[in-house]
PDB file of all heavy atoms in Angstrom:
ATOM      1  N   SER B 242    -111.240 -80.393-138.722  1.00 96.00           N
ATOM      2  CA  SER B 242    -111.588 -80.450-140.137  1.00 96.00           C
ATOM      3  C   SER B 242    -110.720 -81.482-140.835  1.00 96.00           C
ATOM      4  O   SER B 242    -109.515 -81.534-140.608  1.00 96.00           O
ATOM      5  CB  SER B 242    -111.368 -79.085-140.793  1.00 96.00           C
ATOM      6  OG  SER B 242    -112.089 -78.087-140.114  1.00 96.00           O
ATOM      7  N   ILE B 243    -111.341 -82.281-141.662  1.00 96.00           N
ATOM      8  CA  ILE B 243    -110.608 -83.301-142.431  1.00 96.00           C
ATOM      9  C   ILE B 243    -110.715 -82.952-143.902  1.00 96.00           C
ATOM     10  O   ILE B 243    -111.768 -83.096-144.515  1.00 96.00           O
ATOM     11  CB  ILE B 243    -111.211 -84.702-142.171  1.00 96.00           C
ATOM     12  CG1 ILE B 243    -111.161 -85.000-140.671  1.00 96.00           C
ATOM     13  CG2 ILE B 243    -110.464 -85.758-142.974  1.00 96.00           C
ATOM     14  CD1 ILE B 243    -111.870 -86.291-140.305  1.00 96.00           C
ATOM     15  N   TYR B 244    -109.619 -82.444-144.467  1.00 95.00           N
ATOM     16  CA  TYR B 244    -109.610 -82.035-145.873  1.00 95.00           C
ATOM     17  C   TYR B 244    -109.116 -83.175-146.754  1.00 95.00           C
ATOM     18  O   TYR B 244    -108.192 -83.910-146.375  1.00 95.00           O
ATOM     19  CB  TYR B 244    -108.678 -80.835-146.077  1.00 95.00           C
ATOM     20  CG  TYR B 244    -109.217 -79.534-145.529  1.00 95.00           C
ATOM     21  CD1 TYR B 244    -109.052 -79.207-144.201  1.00 95.00           C
ATOM     22  CD2 TYR B 244    -109.893 -78.651-146.363  1.00 95.00           C
ATOM     23  CE1 TYR B 244    -109.552 -78.012-143.699  1.00 95.00           C
ATOM     24  CE2 TYR B 244    -110.392 -77.461-145.867  1.00 95.00           C
ATOM     25  CZ  TYR B 244    -110.222 -77.151-144.542  1.00 95.00           C
ATOM     26  OH  TYR B 244    -110.715 -75.978-144.035  1.00 95.00           O
ATOM     27  N   ARG B 245    -109.683 -83.301-147.931  1.00 93.00           N
ATOM     28  CA  ARG B 245    -109.165 -84.315-148.854  1.00 93.00           C
ATOM     29  C   ARG B 245    -107.779 -83.894-149.318  1.00 93.00           C
ATOM     30  O   ARG B 245    -107.547 -82.754-149.724  1.00 93.00           O
ATOM     31  CB  ARG B 245    -110.108 -84.534-150.025  1.00 93.00           C
ATOM     32  CG  ARG B 245    -110.610 -83.298-150.702  1.00 93.00           C
ATOM     33  CD  ARG B 245    -111.756 -83.597-151.609  1.00 93.00           C
ATOM     34  NE  ARG B 245    -111.330 -84.410-152.752  1.00 93.00           N
ATOM     35  CZ  ARG B 245    -112.166 -84.924-153.633  1.00 93.00           C
ATOM     36  NH1 ARG B 245    -113.471 -84.725-153.496  1.00 93.00           N
ATOM     37  NH2 ARG B 245    -111.729 -85.651-154.637  1.00 93.00           N
ATOM     38  N   GLY B 246    -106.858 -84.829-149.269  1.00 92.00           N
ATOM     39  CA  GLY B 246    -105.450 -84.528-149.544  1.00 92.00           C
ATOM     40  C   GLY B 246    -105.164 -84.272-151.011  1.00 92.00           C
ATOM     41  O   GLY B 246    -104.151 -83.671-151.347  1.00 92.00           O
ATOM     42  N   ASP B 247    -106.048 -84.724-151.891  1.00 90.00           N
ATOM     43  CA  ASP B 247    -105.758 -84.568-153.315  1.00 90.00           C
ATOM     44  C   ASP B 247    -106.192 -83.224-153.860  1.00 90.00           C
ATOM     45  O   ASP B 247    -105.812 -82.860-154.973  1.00 90.00           O
ATOM     46  CB  ASP B 247    -106.468 -85.701-154.105  1.00 90.00           C
ATOM     47  CG  ASP B 247    -107.974 -85.675-153.894  1.00 90.00           C
ATOM     48  OD1 ASP B 247    -108.429 -85.068-152.900  1.00 90.00           O
ATOM     49  OD2 ASP B 247    -108.698 -86.263-154.724  1.00 90.00           O
ATOM     50  N   ARG B 248    -106.993 -82.481-153.103  1.00 88.00           N
ATOM     51  CA  ARG B 248    -107.528 -81.239-153.648  1.00 88.00           C
ATOM     52  C   ARG B 248    -107.249 -80.025-152.766  1.00 88.00           C
ATOM     53  O   ARG B 248    -107.803 -78.958-153.007  1.00 88.00           O
ATOM     54  CB  ARG B 248    -109.057 -81.356-153.830  1.00 88.00           C
ATOM     55  CG  ARG B 248    -109.489 -82.336-154.863  1.00 88.00           C
ATOM     56  CD  ARG B 248    -109.062 -81.896-156.253  1.00 88.00           C
ATOM     57  NE  ARG B 248    -109.517 -82.843-157.253  1.00 88.00           N
ATOM     58  CZ  ARG B 248    -110.554 -82.644-158.061  1.00 88.00           C
ATOM     59  NH1 ARG B 248    -111.213 -81.525-158.003  1.00 88.00           N
ATOM     60  NH2 ARG B 248    -110.904 -83.564-158.938  1.00 88.00           N
ATOM     61  N   TYR B 249    -106.476 -80.195-151.730  1.00 90.00           N
ATOM     62  CA  TYR B 249    -106.339 -79.078-150.811  1.00 90.00           C
ATOM     63  C   TYR B 249    -104.917 -78.984-150.275  1.00 90.00           C
ATOM     64  O   TYR B 249    -104.291 -79.990-149.984  1.00 90.00           O
ATOM     65  CB  TYR B 249    -107.316 -79.242-149.632  1.00 90.00           C
ATOM     66  CG  TYR B 249    -107.422 -78.025-148.754  1.00 90.00           C
ATOM     67  CD1 TYR B 249    -108.188 -76.932-149.136  1.00 90.00           C
ATOM     68  CD2 TYR B 249    -106.734 -77.952-147.564  1.00 90.00           C
ATOM     69  CE1 TYR B 249    -108.284 -75.799-148.352  1.00 90.00           C
ATOM     70  CE2 TYR B 249    -106.822 -76.832-146.750  1.00 90.00           C
ATOM     71  CZ  TYR B 249    -107.595 -75.761-147.156  1.00 90.00           C
ATOM     72  OH  TYR B 249    -107.681 -74.645-146.372  1.00 90.00           O
ATOM     73  N   ASP B 250    -104.413 -77.770-150.183  1.00 89.00           N
ATOM     74  CA  ASP B 250    -103.156 -77.567-149.484  1.00 89.00           C
ATOM     75  C   ASP B 250    -103.186 -76.224-148.785  1.00 89.00           C
ATOM     76  O   ASP B 250    -104.059 -75.397-149.029  1.00 89.00           O
ATOM     77  CB  ASP B 250    -101.952 -77.672-150.427  1.00 89.00           C
ATOM     78  CG  ASP B 250    -101.936 -76.562-151.455  1.00 89.00           C
ATOM     79  OD1 ASP B 250    -102.872 -75.743-151.489  1.00 89.00           O
ATOM     80  OD2 ASP B 250    -100.986 -76.515-152.241  1.00 89.00           O
ATOM     81  N   LEU B 251    -102.271 -76.041-147.869  1.00 89.00           N
ATOM     82  CA  LEU B 251    -102.153 -74.802-147.130  1.00 89.00           C
ATOM     83  C   LEU B 251    -100.915 -74.082-147.596  1.00 89.00           C
ATOM     84  O   LEU B 251     -99.888 -74.700-147.815  1.00 89.00           O
ATOM     85  CB  LEU B 251    -101.985 -75.104-145.629  1.00 89.00           C
ATOM     86  CG  LEU B 251    -103.187 -75.660-144.903  1.00 89.00           C
ATOM     87  CD1 LEU B 251    -102.769 -76.179-143.529  1.00 89.00           C
ATOM     88  CD2 LEU B 251    -104.217 -74.560-144.736  1.00 89.00           C
ATOM     89  N   ARG B 252    -101.025 -72.783-147.759  1.00 82.00           N
ATOM     90  CA  ARG B 252     -99.847 -72.022-148.126  1.00 82.00           C
ATOM     91  C   ARG B 252     -99.652 -70.902-147.135  1.00 82.00           C
ATOM     92  O   ARG B 252    -100.598 -70.269-146.735  1.00 82.00           O
ATOM     93  CB  ARG B 252    -100.013 -71.428-149.526  1.00 82.00           C
ATOM     94  CG  ARG B 252     -99.825 -72.485-150.575  1.00 82.00           C
ATOM     95  CD  ARG B 252    -100.455 -72.062-151.869  1.00 82.00           C
ATOM     96  NE  ARG B 252    -100.703 -73.262-152.662  1.00 82.00           N
ATOM     97  CZ  ARG B 252    -100.156 -73.465-153.851  1.00 82.00           C
ATOM     98  NH1 ARG B 252     -99.378 -72.575-154.391  1.00 82.00           N
ATOM     99  NH2 ARG B 252    -100.423 -74.569-154.503  1.00 82.00           N
ATOM    100  N   ASN B 253     -98.434 -70.690-146.742  1.00 81.00           N
ATOM    101  CA  ASN B 253     -98.177 -69.561-145.857  1.00 81.00           C
ATOM    102  C   ASN B 253     -96.738 -69.104-145.964  1.00 81.00           C
ATOM    103  O   ASN B 253     -95.904 -69.727-146.614  1.00 81.00           O
ATOM    104  CB  ASN B 253     -98.547 -69.902-144.427  1.00 81.00           C
ATOM    105  CG  ASN B 253     -97.682 -71.007-143.847  1.00 81.00           C
ATOM    106  OD1 ASN B 253     -96.865 -71.578-144.543  1.00 81.00           O
ATOM    107  ND2 ASN B 253     -97.882 -71.294-142.583  1.00 81.00           N
ATOM    108  N   THR B 254     -96.483 -67.991-145.316  1.00 77.00           N
ATOM    109  CA  THR B 254     -95.144 -67.437-145.293  1.00 77.00           C
ATOM    110  C   THR B 254     -94.688 -67.423-143.844  1.00 77.00           C
ATOM    111  O   THR B 254     -95.419 -66.984-142.970  1.00 77.00           O
ATOM    112  CB  THR B 254     -95.128 -66.022-145.872  1.00 77.00           C
ATOM    113  OG1 THR B 254     -95.641 -66.066-147.189  1.00 77.00           O
ATOM    114  CG2 THR B 254     -93.719 -65.456-145.907  1.00 77.00           C
ATOM    115  N   VAL B 255     -93.504 -67.935-143.587  1.00 81.00           N
ATOM    116  CA  VAL B 255     -92.986 -67.924-142.232  1.00 81.00           C
ATOM    117  C   VAL B 255     -91.760 -67.016-142.191  1.00 81.00           C
ATOM    118  O   VAL B 255     -91.060 -66.839-143.181  1.00 81.00           O
ATOM    119  CB  VAL B 255     -92.613 -69.340-141.747  1.00 81.00           C
ATOM    120  CG1 VAL B 255     -93.857 -70.163-141.589  1.00 81.00           C
ATOM    121  CG2 VAL B 255     -91.652 -70.008-142.710  1.00 81.00           C
ATOM    122  N   HIS B 256     -91.515 -66.450-141.025  1.00 76.00           N
ATOM    123  CA  HIS B 256     -90.431 -65.481-140.866  1.00 76.00           C
ATOM    124  C   HIS B 256     -89.537 -65.877-139.711  1.00 76.00           C
ATOM    125  O   HIS B 256     -89.902 -66.673-138.868  1.00 76.00           O
ATOM    126  CB  HIS B 256     -90.986 -64.081-140.606  1.00 76.00           C
ATOM    127  CG  HIS B 256     -91.768 -63.532-141.759  1.00 76.00           C
ATOM    128  ND1 HIS B 256     -91.188 -62.781-142.733  1.00 76.00           N
ATOM    129  CD2 HIS B 256     -93.062 -63.650-142.093  1.00 76.00           C
ATOM    130  CE1 HIS B 256     -92.112 -62.451-143.622  1.00 76.00           C
ATOM    131  NE2 HIS B 256     -93.259 -62.968-143.250  1.00 76.00           N
ATOM    132  N   ARG B 257     -88.382 -65.270-139.694  1.00 77.00           N
ATOM    133  CA  ARG B 257     -87.485 -65.391-138.556  1.00 77.00           C
ATOM    134  C   ARG B 257     -87.073 -63.990-138.205  1.00 77.00           C
ATOM    135  O   ARG B 257     -86.825 -63.167-139.075  1.00 77.00           O
ATOM    136  CB  ARG B 257     -86.269 -66.235-138.944  1.00 77.00           C
ATOM    137  CG  ARG B 257     -85.219 -66.317-137.861  1.00 77.00           C
ATOM    138  CD  ARG B 257     -83.967 -66.936-138.411  1.00 77.00           C
ATOM    139  NE  ARG B 257     -84.196 -68.262-138.882  1.00 77.00           N
ATOM    140  CZ  ARG B 257     -83.681 -69.338-138.280  1.00 77.00           C
ATOM    141  NH1 ARG B 257     -82.941 -69.221-137.230  1.00 77.00           N
ATOM    142  NH2 ARG B 257     -83.917 -70.534-138.780  1.00 77.00           N
ATOM    143  N   ASP B 258     -87.003 -63.695-136.896  1.00 65.00           N
ATOM    144  CA  ASP B 258     -86.738 -62.329-136.503  1.00 65.00           C
ATOM    145  C   ASP B 258     -85.306 -61.895-136.778  1.00 65.00           C
ATOM    146  O   ASP B 258     -85.046 -61.099-137.657  1.00 65.00           O
ATOM    147  CB  ASP B 258     -87.077 -62.114-135.033  1.00 65.00           C
ATOM    148  CG  ASP B 258     -88.473 -61.534-134.883  1.00 65.00           C
ATOM    149  OD1 ASP B 258     -89.038 -61.155-135.913  1.00 65.00           O
ATOM    150  OD2 ASP B 258     -88.966 -61.480-133.757  1.00 65.00           O
ATOM    151  N   ALA B 259     -84.365 -62.396-136.006  1.00 51.00           N
ATOM    152  CA  ALA B 259     -82.992 -61.948-136.169  1.00 51.00           C
ATOM    153  C   ALA B 259     -82.132 -63.140-136.581  1.00 51.00           C
ATOM    154  O   ALA B 259     -82.631 -64.162-136.981  1.00 51.00           O
ATOM    155  CB  ALA B 259     -82.483 -61.349-134.884  1.00 51.00           C
ATOM    156  N   GLY B 260     -80.820 -62.951-136.551  1.00 40.00           N
ATOM    157  CA  GLY B 260     -79.935 -64.071-136.873  1.00 40.00           C
ATOM    158  C   GLY B 260     -79.790 -64.962-135.676  1.00 40.00           C
ATOM    159  O   GLY B 260     -79.072 -65.921-135.706  1.00 40.00           O
TER     160      GLY B 260
END
Side-chain angles (χ1 to χ4, degrees):
Chain B
S242 304
I243 303 174
Y244 287 85
R245 47 193 293 173
D247 59 341
R248 293 294 181 104
Y249 190 79
D250 65 357
L251 290 168
R252 285 159 201 241
N253 65 355
T254 302
V255 292
H256 295 269
R257 175 191 299 248
D258 263 351

